[in-house]
Amino acid sequence: MSGVVAGVDIGSTTAKCVVLGDDSRILGKSLSVVGIDIVKDAERALEAALADAHLSRSDVAFITGTGYGRYKVYFGQLVVTEISCHARGASFLFPGTRLVVDIGGQDTKAIRINEKGEVVDFAMNDKCAAGTGRFLDVCANALGYDVSEIGPLSLQARRAVKVTSTCTVFAESEVTSYVSRGKDPKDILAGLHASIANRTLSLMQRVGVEPEITFTGGVSQNQGMVRALHQRLGAPVNVSPLSQYLGALGAALHGRERLSGGAS
Ligand code: ADP
């Protein structure tokens, strides 16, 4: 088991860990919500992924930390930015990827990459939460839904309403005012997803839209967002049930490269 590596991605909202075997097959993974004690969250993320893999800490040869809380992964041997890790993870899963769109809890990034999965250019949203998972979390809450429900509901919309507020706080009150005017929540949700797709497209255009795009981060699990991006781009985007783990997977792959004497 000497070639087993792990990647731990501590985001602003969730902690992800992926354990990879010698052959780069995923042996175990974990996903949990991040709390106040990030150091403990990182440890728990690793322990949960190891339990999923039926392995113990001594089986792991190398650990890489990434994400917003990467410097709290004290038990790791390497730290890599989430931009490089999403690039590597997306390229591993979809080798033709040339543009990665990562929509996470509090930020959105467009990352242009080369055929080796290396970062060529990137752009990210400014400090506010507009266009991120947080924006959708707040609006879902305002409508009384769990965030996992809003994507499928938005797909049933008949006539999307136009959501003009980009600020999370204003969007929340815009949503509430549409509800009080009797608009169908499904149509409001479709409007919200379309508004995020617009913002995301602007971000992509800053680095250059490429033919093969891979959608990563937790919001990629939202089917409504996948469809809104498809509609806005006029082309499908790659997405997988592993998309939320691609930062952690990329971290593990960077670790594997370092372990074998590579340049990561
Ligand atoms: P970070 O890495 O920034 O902590 P993630 O990439 O894990 O965040 O994304 C978290 C966001 O993903 C949440 O804010 C939520 O909006 C979204 N999300 C996660 N799972 C789902 C799901 N099943 N359906 C819709 N949205 C989801």
Side-chain angles (χ1 to χ4, degrees), residues 169-205:
V169 179
F170 291 139
E172 188 182 9
S173 44
E174 194 177 351
V175 162
T176 315
S177 95
Y178 275 133
V179 172
S180 59
R181 278 191 267 155
K183 292 281 183 196
D184 184 337
K186 299 185 197 88
D187 294 341
I188 303 173
L189 287 168
L192 284 165
H193 286 82
S195 110
I196 298 191
N198 277 339
R199 286 183 76 89
T200 310
L201 182 66
S202 313
L203 208 60
M204 292 187 211
Q205 285 166 337

Side-chain angles (χ1 to χ4, degrees), residues 9-16 31-32 34 67-68 82 86 102-107 109 132-138 146-152 193 216-225 243-245:
D9 176 5
I10 307 298
S12 59
T13 311
T14 65
K16 283 79 56 180
L31 172 70
S32 48
V34 166
Y68 168 80
E82 66 268 33
H86 278 269
D102 167 29
I103 311 187
Q106 283 182 29
D107 49 34
K109 302 181 190 83
T132 69
R134 172 100 191 107
F135 180 91
L136 285 169
D137 296 346
V138 167
D146 184 82
V147 75
S148 61
E149 298 175 286
I150 62 172
H193 286 82
T216 72
V219 179
S220 66
Q221 300 310 296
N222 174 331
Q223 296 159 39
M225 206 53 234
S243 285
Q244 194 169 6
Y245 297 89

Side-chain angles (χ1 to χ4, degrees), residues 85-101:
C85 289
H86 278 269
R88 183 61 59 91
S91 178
F92 179 79
L93 213 59
F94 299 104
T97 306
R98 293 295 177 271
L99 182 62
V100 180
V101 181

Side-chain angles (χ1 to χ4, degrees), residues 113-188:
I113 68 174
N114 64 18
E115 68 289 350
K116 290 190 235 158
E118 294 162 343
V119 178
V120 175
D121 194 8
F122 79 93
M124 67 187 284
N125 64 311
D126 45 32
K127 283 199 165 26
C128 88
T132 69
R134 172 100 191 107
F135 180 91
L136 285 169
D137 296 346
V138 167
C139 293
N141 196 39
L143 286 166
Y145 295 116
D146 184 82
V147 75
S148 61
E149 298 175 286
I150 62 172
L153 281 170
S154 77
L155 297 180
Q156 297 167 29
R158 291 217 202 119
R159 219 173 145 179
V161 302
K162 202 167 169 50
V163 175
T164 52
S165 312
T166 48
C167 165
T168 310
V169 179
F170 291 139
E172 188 182 9
S173 44
E174 194 177 351
V175 162
T176 315
S177 95
Y178 275 133
V179 172
S180 59
R181 278 191 267 155
K183 292 281 183 196
D184 184 337
K186 299 185 197 88
D187 294 341
I188 303 173

